[in-house]
Amino acid sequence: MAKKFAIFGNPVEHSLSPKMHNCAFIELGFDGIYYKILLEDGKDLKNRFLSENLSGANITVPHKEEAYKACDELDDFAKKVGAVNTIVRDGDRLIGYNTDAPGFLKSIDKFENIKSILILGAGGTVSSTSDILVDANYDITILNRSENRLDSFKKKGFKTFTYENFEPKEYDLIVNMTSAGLKDDLLPAPKDILEAIFPKAKAAVDIIYGKDTPFLKLAKDYNLPIQDGSEMLLQQGVLAFDYFTNHQYDLDEVEKIMREALSN
């Protein structure tokens, strides 16, 4: 009987994760199926996971912090960052991991001479990626609309700002880690702020994929190299697949299959 896997999110209809994982299952001969689950309330995640009899799952916005709470056990990195995007079942216990952060880190390898990064947002993806970026010796600043979401980052010693107290300076890489532009045509920060920082930046990245977001369109107006979230999606997916299949397969082979799936 095929093992079942899914991605939980809201929205989730745009997700290409099933395409990546199902292609890899088929190519590698693993008896599995992967599908989408629209989840309105993140607090329902564990019950839904168990009722669907899943072997594993990915979690996308806005449920990564609720996924963290739903797990019975966390690996050290997920525990440190407080956000989970990959869950594997062990009996009736849910084990939580975070593959977003290492996936994002690998996805920005192509950009050269990047030292300072301005992250827009303060959600679960920011929680994980900010820590791993600091460990990789990047200088991180976090800009968010509201002050209260910044408290945990302040406690860790991050430089944080809201729109009201932000003073534009030079940042090498500007990254949108909000959901602005996913279901709408909103920018992730006031336009005047973006117009003040884009001219001195070296590149812009949006973790939303498959869409030319308003953020990326504006970055292109300033002739910046841009990247959407497709590479991050791929890299975190390879790592999630490794957990799902209990480290059975060569990751270079998995990446090759998934990359091909995304390009078709």
Side-chain angles (χ1 to χ4, degrees), residues 13 40 55 81 85 128 134 137 179 191 198 216 230-231:
E13 66 273 5
E40 301 282 350
S55 295
V81 301
N85 79 311
S128 59
V134 165
N137 296 316
S179 59
K191 191 174 183 181
F198 274 158
L216 292 180
S230 299
E231 189 65 23

Side-chain angles (χ1 to χ4, degrees), residues 6 27 31 38 41 44 61 168 176-177 197 200-201 210 226 236 242 249 260 264:
E27 288 285 326
D31 192 12
L38 175 65
D41 188 344
D44 296 333
V61 293
N176 174 32
M177 288 194 178
I197 56 179
K200 296 178 180 178
I226 61 168
Q236 66 78 27
D242 191 40
Y249 302 103
E260 197 169 296
N264 292 332

Side-chain angles (χ1 to χ4, degrees), residues 23-30 241 249-250 253-254 257:
C23 281
F25 288 153
I26 293 166
E27 288 285 326
L28 296 168
F30 183 88
F241 188 90
Y249 302 103
D250 178 75
E253 178 68 11
V254 175
I257 294 168

